[in-house]
Amino acid sequence: MSSGVIADSIVNLCGALGLCVAMFALYRRDPKSPLTQRLLLLLGVVALLFLTRGVAWWTGSVLLDRLSLIPAALLPLGALIVTEGILRRHAPRAAKIAALAGAVVIGLGGVFGLESYTTPYAIALAIFQLAGFVICAWLLATRDRTSLLASENRSIGRLAAGALIVIPFIVTDYQALAPDMPVRLGALGALLVVTAVLIAGGGSETRRQGILMTALRLVSSALLGAAAACVSPDADAAQIMRFCAIAIAGVLTIGLMTDTLRALFEAQVPGVLNSVAASAAGTRDELIAELARHPMFESARRYRESDLAAYDPPLLRNALSTRRVLRRPEAPWGLAATDPAVERLMSLMKAGNATHVIILSHQPVDLLVLAVPVISADPATETALALVRRILALTPEAA
């Protein structure tokens, strides 16, 4: 087995696994959505294609190689079905008939031996697939934007761009069209698209973080693949490209798996905001008692004005009147370092080995002092603390 066949097989198997993980992630988000069901159908067809191809090339099975032509021919039809779901309208009747007829003729023709005419069949299949993606991209680009929400229009624009970006990757799967390509990159293109689709499902800040993380994964995995290829004494440009493709496909697949598994674990162990949202507490004391069960608040201690007699409550009241949450690293919080209120607040934090003071009330003074571990002190945690403070401040003392 040549190194090119090995690389093709590994990239396709990684693509199949990554798409299965993406299907699971999309199903968890909204299993009953008609669009989700259409996406799962398309991704299932593509995953089956990569799986049968990868196994066929690895084992040298002619039968599996022929059977892989059926899901390959179904791709335009699946893409058209998803496009209809996104646009919430039917595609042109001629496009649907052409996609269905092409899937039957090309798919079954390959199974019954038309692939023996290697070049003509590969060209026909490639043109059929590319035409299907171009038509879907054209339908998305020429949609009636007024009939869709702004968020839907933004998502559709990204999908249309993704459909065009994936075309060069698909071309590499056909050696009759790209005979000099050292590795087939269709599965890698699919991994990039599904990664982009999952990133687009979050908020703007989440998307930016996801794009940065994906870019880091791509660059680092490509460098890792190039470094691994250079270990071989007979490494050339083709071998380096194969190693890079394997590394990128593997890292993208692992990234999809870890991101999905992390989301699954987080859903099983609700965050602090989820705990507050699901709480049935009717008073501030009850809500604080429930918060104390969360790891972030297990060290929290509440100080009412009567508990702060040694810290001069009137002095604290004036210093805290315009503040909501104090972080110990940010001391003296805009005040002079020698201000008596700063000295008392620092003394209060040191006494409880605390990192944060949440001001629940200024009149009378009501504080929640807690220690957040340094490994948990990130922007998301700070935002959660600020939101918890607002919720606690609005919660009545007594029912």
Side-chain angles (χ1 to χ4, degrees), residues 202-349:
S204 58
E205 184 64 25
T206 304
R207 282 197 300 271
R208 284 192 291 270
Q209 294 172 356
I211 291 171
L212 289 175
M213 291 175 61
T214 302
L216 178 62
R217 287 171 179 170
L218 291 175
V219 173
S220 58
S221 58
L223 292 175
L224 178 63
C230 292
V231 173
S232 175
D234 58 345
D236 54 12
Q239 195 73 345
I240 291 175
M241 186 172 180
R242 294 187 188 105
F243 271 82
C244 289
I246 292 173
I248 293 173
V251 168
L252 287 177
T253 302
I254 294 170
L256 289 170
M257 294 170 64
T258 53
D259 291 344
T260 302
L261 195 59
R262 183 188 302 114
L264 184 62
F265 288 158
E266 290 176 352
Q268 293 175 347
V269 182
V272 61
L273 293 180
N274 291 350
S275 300
V276 173
S279 172
T283 66
R284 186 179 297 174
D285 286 336
E286 293 175 353
L287 187 54
I288 291 175
E290 290 195 14
L291 282 173
R293 302 191 188 102
H294 193 277
M296 188 187 302
F297 285 86
E298 61 185 359
S299 65
R301 181 178 176 185
R302 187 178 183 184
Y303 290 87
R304 291 184 171 86
E305 188 158 318
S306 58
D307 304 318
L308 296 168
Y311 296 94
D312 197 347
L315 187 65
L316 296 180
R317 187 180 304 119
N318 293 333
L320 300 174
S321 59
T322 59
R323 291 167 175 79
R324 302 292 181 266
V325 179
L326 300 180
R327 295 179 66 246
R328 187 171 179 176
E330 295 176 352
W333 311 292
L335 302 172
T338 57
D339 190 303
V342 173
E343 295 178 356
R344 284 163 174 76
L345 287 169
M346 288 299 297
S347 176
L348 177 63
M349 287 186 173

Side-chain angles (χ1 to χ4, degrees), residues 106-196:
I106 295 178
L108 294 181
V111 172
F112 289 112
L114 285 182
E115 93 288 349
S116 58
Y117 302 97
T118 306
T119 301
Y121 182 85
I123 292 175
L125 179 57
I127 292 175
F128 178 61
Q129 287 185 340
L130 297 178
F133 281 104
V134 170
I135 289 173
C136 291
W138 178 78
L139 290 174
L140 293 173
T142 59
R143 67 191 179 278
D144 181 9
R145 288 170 171 77
T146 59
S147 64
L148 300 171
L149 300 175
S151 59
E152 291 177 319
N153 281 315
R154 286 193 296 269
S155 298
I156 288 173
R158 297 188 189 99
L159 287 175
L164 295 176
I165 291 172
V166 80
I167 287 176
F169 291 91
I170 295 175
V171 172
T172 65
D173 277 357
Y174 301 96
Q175 292 185 337
L177 301 179
D180 298 327
M181 284 297 297
V183 60
R184 309 185 202 200
L185 301 175
L188 182 57
L191 285 173
L192 289 171
V193 171
V194 296
T195 300

Side-chain angles (χ1 to χ4, degrees), residues 55 60 75 99 202 226 250 270 280 296 337:
V55 175
L75 287 183
M296 188 187 302

Side-chain angles (χ1 to χ4, degrees), residues 30-110:
D30 191 1
K32 297 183 179 180
S33 168
L35 179 57
T36 299
Q37 294 171 4
R38 290 169 182 254
L39 281 171
L40 293 179
L41 173 63
L42 174 60
L43 292 179
V45 171
V46 180
L48 180 61
L49 168 63
F50 293 150
L51 178 62
T52 52
R53 273 184 178 175
V55 175
W57 294 338
W58 187 273
T59 61
S61 172
V62 176
L63 176 60
L64 282 178
D65 200 16
R66 288 184 177 182
L67 291 176
S68 70
L69 297 172
I70 295 178
L74 287 172
L75 287 183
L77 180 61
L80 198 61
I81 291 173
V82 172
T83 301
E84 286 186 326
I86 294 173
L87 298 177
R88 298 201 301 269
R89 65 182 179 87
H90 289 288
R93 185 178 181 85
K96 291 193 285 188
I97 293 176
L100 181 59
V104 173
V105 173
I106 295 178
L108 294 181

Side-chain angles (χ1 to χ4, degrees), residues 8-18 50-51 53-55 58 187 253:
D8 292 339
S9 301
I10 294 175
V11 171
N12 275 265
L13 291 174
C14 286
L17 179 58
F50 293 150
L51 178 62
R53 273 184 178 175
V55 175
W58 187 273
T253 302

